């Protein structure tokens, strides 16, 4: 009985999707190898990290040789707007959609419609609760964990922490908070004495740092990526007496960590590579090729300090790139592009040479 | 038909024409056009179209509501929080309650404006902060949910595009047309056109203002509920409410509502939302960065208002 | 018949007094909750933090006095900061000139559209805002691609004290700053942003009170037709006002960029509504023709103190927003009552 | 009159705006079936009284009774329901609404309205939007709308001001027919002749108190003026002998074949230095456009303007000002900055060019402003905001601005409209003083007798042309009126 209902349901689903696809199949290019159409929906434009993520998708698509075009819908929009974008991509006839969702569940309906139409949906960076999707991201819980461990170590196992989080309610922030508190709870001499949200906004972060950094009040600072202006603020507010800071792989933070070591600064770099987009593209192509891919693909971060990883950090700094550039240039096993190809940021359809 | 009526009609005509041209253009770009695509169009504009209509009512009445986006966000958060894990009947009852809450909030804002005598823009600016704060209090993080049947009632089961279309048209039939014909409707145009003359004609200016803000709040409530129905979720962010507010003003103005008050209707703003939806998607099909659509949208709003202003100047000059 | 200085004095002094009162109460409350706030460095910090908002609000004041409003101000500010940081590789003077040019051009477009073509300022600047967001979003990946690092000199100018005292206080990092010598604290208070804000404020006050342009800004805001009948070319005044507004906004943006250490598209976004709120709290009418920059300065300080109070209170974002809104509303209300009574 | 019953009775009514007492102990009675004139100088409390009667505001103390029953009106609607219908100088019709929707707004019966309007010999397209209708017709529409409610008491506030003669006559006949129906009318006007002619009784207010009530008849003028002015100086009807027409003075401005708008067609005239030239015309003959063209505010379509025998183009008021032509518009509000001080209003023209945007020379400005204030006797008690000045003082500020600036020709458009008698006299004196200084004044007035009092010569505009160019001895009201109606005047 149970079995038969399942069969009926499956049959119905197949029938529905065939009906749905019937019209599209005539016009849309058949999803043959070397001819995939990839759609990207990104909920936040004009942000360096997201731009790099998109460039990584484009560059990797070009190099894969299997992608005909990458259609990017990248704009600052709300959940309804992003849902509309996902639907628009579906009507555009893409084979796979890579979504960096601005909301963990608000796009589920639109994603489900795409999945029902046989489109592979890969969520990147921010997880969603939509079923039948593949998730590719940096492991944010581990991010919080390794960052906390390194910070407490640099603080000598005691003291007060200025805890500058990201945006309240964002998936990455919640995950990092989980990992961070897990570790802090194990050290009774370490206290989070001030907790603020930067909303991942440099102006807010800078203002808060300037307001809160008072000599003697804190022995360590956690940032959720709004990092190097906190270090700059220390120069002024703490009169160049630096305390340890956990930051991300922002170009400028890496530079400061390298150069200010001589002044006693301990910068803890926990990379959060933006080129995770390239990994998402590889997963998308694998899925379209019919390969088996796990539902969740997490990249494990490591905490880097000048003391332990001098070479790594020295090579990460890219002088030609902007301060907020996410300075991780390759993900072994996922990406194949060179830095130059990444910076070029061309999709396969962008030029006659296929962008290569 | 006199000059002004003709002009008002020609404006609507121009907007219908523009929406049609863009619509056909967009459809011609698609591999196929069917119910699903139609549904995508309607779902894409429904929340902002409702919000633009609410804004239009307030602007016609001589005000402006910079808190209308925040009202919608608050109702979005309230409904996604309390309608999660409810039965269909409960959801419907709650929906009615939240629409009333939206009206109440609108009425409260109207009351503050009427009693304090502070400019609309200042009061609504301040209340927009307040309401977003309350929304964040209700839903500290994005999330929540809603009864699936209720969601289907709002957005229709794929690929049924009729329910959202009904939600777009129903408010015009059930709220706008009776309003336009009622004494309140005439009073709305009256206080927008000339507060003094309206007062001398026996209009209770303050009460009318409160009622109009309440109706605006009703539309904001509808918009928030529809958002919940479409996204099955809520997001309590200030930037969302600000963007929605600014878009609602752009939509109303593009739809032929004069910012000086007393002129316009609700069909224009609904169509304007459609136009604002088509522009980026058409560009997308040409592989153009959607950021360009921001430029075009902004420039279009400016030019439409400029054109309308010149038209008004010319008719006024003929007096 | 001699003393003409009575410029609606009673009303303005009354509201200025109440603004002072509110500022004082906010300060006392913040101080009682965290005694550190009573120290000189903490006071200096308020001025330091208020500077960027103060500049943006100065621009908005000029605009609103003419009966206009500039909703594109945040993007003008962000754009100026962007241009300076990206073009700083060609030298700071060139970068700054380009930013200035940008502000003048955008301000002029806004002003000419409002003044000559009769555009509604709300819609014009709203549209301009959308256009600028689009232009810079495209720009980040095309013509403005490059390092958005703010040059060191600008960082110094937007964060440092005028006199560097770091070598004077040697082994006192862990010590409470209240134990530092008083003269060090006082010198620390004199930061570049504070100085720049004070300097620009003096200029703005001078323009508004002591120059013909200032008179015309008020005149146009009060009754543009009267100004025209008196032989004033109103569009010239409006255009100048929008250009001034854009330049002040650009300066605020660059300062903000320096304080943030980085430039992003959202740099000044969160300052747009506060810039209007500061002007409103300061008693400038949104209809134009009445108000002054002194009030706006008080408004800026009140908003800055308020946000530092809320941070001190560890209040959640929700509570922050609610209190912020309630305070702006209450102040506007009190102000309306005061001016009604006079 | 003894048989008439009391319709409206006001007893010891008081109203204050903050510290200013607008009405103190005012008593006023209207009998049924009478036309009662309500008179008083500006600021005497007339408009406050009307506002209270029509429910716009409410009094602080005192009593109002209607047909012997005490009443109080909470809103204009409330007053209308009690049978009181006002018609104001600025019609209370919503500009953006059609006449039909305007009628619906006040719950007026359309058929009744059309009947009332056609009884006046007028008709209107009900779909027409109010903003497209000429002001005089709009006032008549407002009046017809008020009549449709069959009011016990009709309040006409300055309705005949600037109304063409034919329409003004219609208003008067309507008042009479109301009276014949046993209904009452309160009539407010600055035109004393009208009052003498049609009103049964008149009540004069001064400083918020009713100072005199008497039966109006021809010859009441002296009594009215005396009551309005109190102990202040009385007005002489004739001016001093300062008028000396010197035809030998050279021509300052000449207009040749000016055409513009709907009205002005081929209009020509000259004005000499030291001459006060009167302009008379019925409403809507394009005189306002003529003034605006000379002031550089409106564009000339064809024709030429010569100043000191040189052809000039006036594209902006600044061009006119640089030619020495200054403009005092009919609507004071459009020339003043209501929220700014007297000083700023007087000194405004100092900064008109970009080259003058720099630092203000405080000393010279102060001297200049002081001079203007003392020579024009401007009351400076409320100097911080001109909106708090009385209408007369506001008008002095608009003229004073040009005294500080200096001018050769002053364009005065109905400068005494809605101003009390005392201030009117000051303005007449001022205009004559300008002429004595060799300056020219072009004066349009809707009160024809002013022409004989102030001018050296007058032109009458009819159908866009100069119908008559009359020397002062021919400027009797009768002659002017004939010419204004297109009837030739013998020279």
């Amino acid at each position: 009985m149970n079995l038969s209902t399942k069969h009926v349901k499956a049959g119905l689903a197949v029938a529905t999707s065939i009906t749905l696809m019937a019209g599209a199949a005539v016009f849309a290019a058949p999803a043959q190898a070397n001819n995939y159409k990839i759609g990207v929906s990104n909920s936040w434009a004009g942000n360096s990290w997201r731009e790099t993520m998109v460039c990584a998708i484009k560059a990797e698509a070009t190099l894969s040789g299997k992608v005909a075009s990458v259609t990017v819908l990248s704009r600052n929009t709300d959940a309804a707007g992003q849902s509309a974008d996902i639907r628009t991509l579906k009507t555009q006839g893409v084979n796979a959609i890579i979504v960096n969702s601005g909301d963990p569940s608000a796009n589920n309906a639109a994603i489900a419609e795409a999945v029902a139409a046989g489109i592979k949906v890969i969520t990147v960076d921010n997880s969603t609760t939509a079923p039948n999707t593949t998730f590719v991201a940096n492991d944010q819980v581990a991010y919080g964990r390794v960052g906390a461990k390194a910070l407490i170590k640099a603080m000598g196992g005691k003291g007060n922490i200025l805890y500058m989080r990201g945006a309240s309610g964002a998936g990455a922030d919640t995950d990092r908070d989980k990992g961070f508190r897990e570790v802090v709870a194990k050290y009774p001499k370490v206290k989070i004495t001030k907790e603020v949200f930067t909303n991942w906004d440099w102006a807010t972060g800078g203002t808060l740092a300037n307001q809160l950094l008072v000599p003697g009040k804190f022995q360590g600072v956690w940032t959720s990526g709004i990092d190097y202006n906190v270090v700059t603020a220390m120069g002024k507010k703490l009169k160049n007496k630096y305390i340890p800071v956990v930051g991300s792989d922002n170009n400028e933070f890496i530079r400061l960590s390298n150069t200010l070591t001589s002044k006693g600064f301990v910068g803890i770099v926990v990379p959060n590579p933006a080129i995770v987009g390239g990994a998402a593209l590889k997963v998308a192509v694998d899925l379209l090729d019919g390969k088996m891919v796990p539902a969740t693909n997490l990249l494990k971060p490591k905490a880097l300090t000048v003391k332990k990883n001098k070479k790594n950090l020295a090579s990460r700094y890219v002088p030609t790139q902007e301060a907020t550039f996410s300075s991780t240039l390759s993900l072994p096993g996922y990406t194949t592009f060179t830095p130059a190809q990444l910076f070029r940021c061309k999709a396969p359809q962008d030029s006659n040479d296929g962008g290569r | 038909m006199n000059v002004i009526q003709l002009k008002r009609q020609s404006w609507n005509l121009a907007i219908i024409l523009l929406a049609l041209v863009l619509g056909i253009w967009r459809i011609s770009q698609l591999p196929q056009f069917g119910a699903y695509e139609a549904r995508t169009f309607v779902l894409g504009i429904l929340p902002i179209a409702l919000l633009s209509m609410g804004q239009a009512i307030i602007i016609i009445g001589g005000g402006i509501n910079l808190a209308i986006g925040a009202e919608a966000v608050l109702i979005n958060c309230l409904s996604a929080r309390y309608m999660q894990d409810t039965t269909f009947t409960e959801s419907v009852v709650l929906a009615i309650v939240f629409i009333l809450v939206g009206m109440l909030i609108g009425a409260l804002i109207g009351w503050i404006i009427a009693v304090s005598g502070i400019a609309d823009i200042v009061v609504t600016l301040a209340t927009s902060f307040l309401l977003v704060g309350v929304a964040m209090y209700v839903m500290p993080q994005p999330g929540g949910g809603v009864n699936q049947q209720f969601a289907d009632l709002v957005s229709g089961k794929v690929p049924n595009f009729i329910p959202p279309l009904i939600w777009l048209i129903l408010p015009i039939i059930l709220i706008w047309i009776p309003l336009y014909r009622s004494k309140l409707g005439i009073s709305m145009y009256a206080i927008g056109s000339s507060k003094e003359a309206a007062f001398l004609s026996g209009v209770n200016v303050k009460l009318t203002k409160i009622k109009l803000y309440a109706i605006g709040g009703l539309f904001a409530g509808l918009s928030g509920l529809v958002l919940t129905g479409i996204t099955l979720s809520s997001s309590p962010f200030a930037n969302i409410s600000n963007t929605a507010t600014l878009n609602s003003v752009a939509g109303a103005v593009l739809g032929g509502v004069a910012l000086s008050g007393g002129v316009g209707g609700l069909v224009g703003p609904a169509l304007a939302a459609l136009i604002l939806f088509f522009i980026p998607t058409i560009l997308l099909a040409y592989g153009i960065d959607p950021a360009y659509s921001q430029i075009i949208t902004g420039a279009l709003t400016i030019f439409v208002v400029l054109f309308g202003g010149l038209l008004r100047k010319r008719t006024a000059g003929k007096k | 018949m001699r003393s003409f200085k009575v410029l609606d004095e009673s009303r303005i002094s009354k509201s200025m007094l109440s603004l002072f009162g509110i500022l004082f109460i906010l300060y006392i409350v913040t101080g009682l909750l965290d005694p550190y706030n009573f120290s000189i460095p903490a006071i200096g910090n308020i001025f330091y933090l208020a500077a960027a908002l103060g500049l943006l609000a100065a621009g908005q004041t000029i605009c609103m006095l003419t009966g206009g409003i500039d909703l594109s101000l945040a993007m003008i500010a962000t754009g100026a900061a962007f241009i300076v940081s990206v073009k700083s590789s060609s030298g700071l003077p060139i970068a700054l000139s380009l930013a200035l040019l940008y502000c003048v051009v955008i301000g002029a477009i806004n002003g000419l559209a409002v003044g000559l073509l009769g555009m509604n300022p709300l819609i014009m600047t709203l549209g301009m805002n959308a256009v600028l967001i689009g232009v810079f979003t495209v720009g980040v990946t095309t013509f403005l691609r490059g390092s958005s690092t703010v040059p060191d000199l600008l960082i110094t100018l937007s964060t440092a004290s005028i006199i560097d005292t770091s070598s004077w206080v040697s082994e006192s990092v862990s010590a409470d700053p209240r134990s530092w010598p008083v003269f060090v604290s006082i010198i620390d208070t004199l930061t570049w942003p504070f100085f720049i804000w004070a300097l620009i404020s003096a200029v703005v006050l001078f323009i508004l009170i002591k120059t013909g342009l200032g008179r015309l800004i008020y005149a146009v805001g009060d009754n543009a037709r009267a100004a025209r009948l008196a032989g004033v070319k109103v569009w010239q005044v409006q255009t100048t006002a929008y250009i001034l507004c854009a330049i002040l906004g650009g300066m605020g943006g660059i300062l903000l960029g320096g304080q943030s250490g980085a430039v992003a598209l959202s740099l000044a976004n969160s300052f747009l509504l506060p810039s209007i709120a500061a002007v409103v709290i300061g008693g400038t009418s949104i209809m134009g023709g009445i108000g002054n920059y002194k009030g706006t300065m008080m408004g800026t300080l009140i908003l800055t103190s308020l946000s530092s109070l809320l941070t001190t209170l560890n209040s959640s974002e929700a509570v922050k927003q609610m209190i912020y809104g309630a305070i702006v509303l209450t102040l506007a209300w009190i102000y309306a009552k005061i001016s009604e009574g006079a | 009159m003894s048989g008439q019953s009391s319709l409206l009775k006001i007893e010891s009514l008081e109203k204050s705006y903050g510290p200013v007492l607008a009405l103190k102990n005012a008593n006023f009675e209207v009998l049924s079936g009478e036309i009662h004139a309500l008179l008083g100088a500006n600021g005497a409390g007339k408009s406050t009284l009307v506002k209270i009667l029509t429910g716009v505001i409410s009094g602080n103390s005192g009593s109002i009774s209607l047909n012997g029953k005490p009443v109080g009106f909470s809103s204009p609607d409330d007053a209308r329901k009690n049978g009181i219908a006002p018609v104001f100088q600025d019609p209370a019709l919503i500009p953006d609404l059609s006449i039909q929707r305007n009628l619906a707004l006040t719950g007026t019966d359309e058929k009744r309205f059309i009947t009332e309007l056609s009884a006046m010999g007028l008709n209107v397209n009900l779909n027409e939007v109010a903003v497209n209708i000429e002001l005089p017709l709009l006032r008549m529409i407002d009046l017809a709308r008020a009549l449709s409610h069959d009011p016990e008491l009709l309040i006409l506030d300055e309705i005949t001001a600037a109304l063409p003669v034919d329409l003004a006559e219609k208003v008067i006949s309507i008042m009479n027919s109301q009276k014949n129906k046993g209904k009452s009318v309160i009539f407010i006007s600055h035109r004393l002749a009208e009052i003498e002619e049609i009103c049964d009784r008149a009540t004069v207010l001064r400083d918020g108190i009713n100072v005199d009530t008497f039966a109006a008849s021809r010859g009441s003028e002296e009594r009215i003026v005396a009551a309005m002015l109190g102990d202040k100086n009385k007005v002489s009807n004739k001016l001093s002998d300062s008028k000396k027409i010197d035809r030998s003075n050279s021509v300052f401005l000449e207009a040749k074949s000016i055409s513009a708008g709907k009205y002005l067609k081929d209009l020509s005239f000259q004005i000499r230095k030291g001459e006060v030239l009167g302009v008379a015309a019925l409403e809507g003959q394009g005189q306002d456009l003529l003034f605006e063209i000379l002031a550089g505010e409106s564009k000339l379509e064809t024709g030429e303007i010569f100043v000191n025998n040189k052809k000039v183009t006036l594209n902006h008021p600044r061009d006119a000002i640089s030619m020495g032509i200054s403009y005092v518009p009919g609507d004071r509000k459009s020339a003043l900055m209501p929220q700014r001080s007297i000083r700023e209003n007087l000194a405004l023209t100092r900064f008109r060019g970009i080259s003058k945007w720099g630092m203000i020379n405080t000393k010279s400005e102060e001297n200049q402003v002081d001079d203007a204030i003392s020579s024009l006797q401007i009351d400076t008690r409320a100097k911080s905001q001109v909106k708090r000045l009385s209408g007369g003082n506001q008008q002095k500020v608009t003229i004073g601005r040009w005294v500080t600036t200096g001018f050769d020709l002053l364009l005065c458009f109905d400068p005494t409209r809605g101003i009390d008698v005392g201030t009117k006299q000051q303005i007449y004196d001022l205009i004559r003083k300008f002429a004595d200084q060799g300056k020219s004044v072009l004066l349009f007035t809707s009160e024809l007798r002013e022409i004989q009092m102030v001018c050296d010569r007058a032109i009458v505009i009819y159908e866009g042309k100069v119908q008559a160019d009359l020397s002062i001895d021919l400027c009797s009201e009768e002659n002017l009126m004939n010419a204004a109606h297109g009837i030739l005047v013998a020279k």
Side-chain angles (χ1 to χ4, degrees), chain A residues 44-46 51 55 76 193-196 199 201-204 206-208 210-212 214-217 228-229 232 236-241 252 255 320-324 343, chain C residues 34 36 45 48-49 137 141 145-149 155-156 159-160 165-166 169-170 173-175 177 180 188 259-262 264-267 270-271 307-308 311-312 314 317:
Chain A
W44 190 6
E51 298 301 339
C55 285
N76 293 310
T193 49
K194 190 85 199 169
E195 180 178 345
V196 290
N199 297 327
D201 178 61
W202 290 97
T204 311
T207 309
L208 284 170
N210 277 304
Q211 189 188 334
L212 296 170
V214 171
K217 235 182 175 179
Y228 65 81
N229 53 354
T232 319
K236 316 295 174 192
K237 293 289 160 183
L238 306 186
K239 303 197 182 302
N240 293 328
K241 309 293 191 297
E252 178 71 5
R255 189 182 71 83
T320 53
Q321 286 296 312
E322 55 195 302
T324 53
F343 300 151
Chain C
D34 182 353
Y36 171 71
N45 216 21
Y48 165 81
L49 291 171
T137 310
T141 54
R145 196 167 169 74
S147 167
S148 61
T149 316
I155 293 189
T156 304
T159 57
T165 58
S166 51
V169 192
S170 46
V173 183
S174 55
W180 294 351
D188 276 350
Q259 289 180 352
S260 311
L265 274 184
S266 59
L267 179 72
S270 53
F271 284 75
S307 90
S308 86
T311 309
T312 304
N314 260 340
E317 192 65 19

Side-chain angles (χ1 to χ4, degrees), chain B:
Chain B
M1 231 187 247
N2 60 58
V3 186
I4 289 213
Q5 276 177 329
L6 198 73
K7 198 196 79 195
R8 214 176 291 170
Q9 291 313 317
S10 70
W11 188 295
N12 277 340
L13 229 63
I15 291 197
I16 292 172
L17 208 69
L18 185 58
L20 265 178
V21 168
L22 291 177
I24 292 168
W25 190 354
R26 175 63 193 141
I27 289 167
S28 72
Q29 292 175 334
L30 289 171
Q32 63 159 0
F33 182 75
Y36 182 83
E37 286 70 23
R39 182 172 173 272
T40 301
F41 288 180
V42 184
L43 285 186
I45 66 160
L46 190 53
I48 191 65
L50 288 170
L51 214 56
S52 298
M53 290 189 224
Q55 187 70 273
I57 285 178
I58 289 162
I59 296 180
I60 292 172
I64 188 162
N65 188 352
L66 296 187
I68 201 163
E71 287 175 36
V73 163
L74 176 56
I75 301 299
N76 176 222
C77 288
L78 276 172
S79 55
R81 172 163 178 181
Y82 293 105
M83 286 159 82
Q84 195 170 17
D85 306 324
T86 54
T87 65
F88 178 69
T89 330
E90 284 166 355
S91 276
V92 171
V93 172
L94 281 172
I96 294 166
V97 169
F98 289 134
I99 289 176
L100 290 177
V101 169
M103 282 185 82
L104 195 72
I105 293 169
L108 208 64
I109 294 174
W111 177 80
I112 294 174
I113 293 168
V115 169
S116 67
I118 314 171
D120 298 54
I121 191 168
V122 175
V123 173
T124 54
L125 185 67
T127 38
S128 74
F129 292 121
L130 244 166
L131 293 176
V132 170
V134 177
M136 286 175 165
Y137 183 77
V138 172
M139 284 299 293
Q141 319 191 341
V146 71
N147 179 286
Q148 185 59 43
Q149 267 175 292
F150 179 80
D152 290 341
L153 182 73
V154 172
S155 53
K157 272 195 198 302
V158 183
N160 185 356
F161 67 95
I162 303 296
L165 197 62
I166 287 176
W167 290 113
L168 186 62
I169 295 169
L170 210 60
I172 294 181
I173 296 171
L174 286 188
I175 302 172
W176 174 240
I177 293 176
L179 174 69
Y180 182 83
R181 297 200 173 154
S182 69
K183 175 95 186 264
L184 177 62
I186 305 179
S187 302
M188 164 178 78
Y189 283 94
I191 65 170
S193 182
S194 163
K195 234 182 227 171
E196 290 73 28
F199 179 63
L200 292 176
S201 296
V203 176
N204 187 332
V205 176
K206 289 182 178 178
L207 196 61
T208 308
K209 186 137 235 174
I210 294 172
K211 284 179 185 167
L212 293 182
Y213 270 87
I215 299 174
L218 185 151
F219 274 96
L222 276 175
S223 174
L225 270 176
V226 161
L227 208 58
T228 312
I230 295 176
T231 62
L232 307 165
S233 170
S234 64
S235 346
F237 295 125
N239 59 344
I240 290 177
S241 86
N242 289 339
T243 314
T245 301
L246 298 186
N247 283 340
S248 76
V249 175
V253 165
L254 205 58
V257 176
L259 217 57
S260 47
V263 178
L266 286 212
V267 182
L271 286 168
L274 198 58
I275 292 169
L276 293 180
F277 172 77
F278 280 140
I279 292 172
T281 48
I282 287 174
L283 289 183
L284 156 85
Y286 286 105
I288 300 168
D289 189 329
Y292 283 100
S293 71
Q294 279 267 10
I295 304 177
I296 294 176
T297 309
L300 184 72
T301 315
I302 293 171
F303 280 115
V304 161
V305 173
L306 190 60
F307 181 69
L310 292 179
L311 210 69
R312 204 157 293 143
K313 245 185 211 165
R314 267 181 54 193
T315 39
K318 277 177 189 158
K319 207 176 84 176

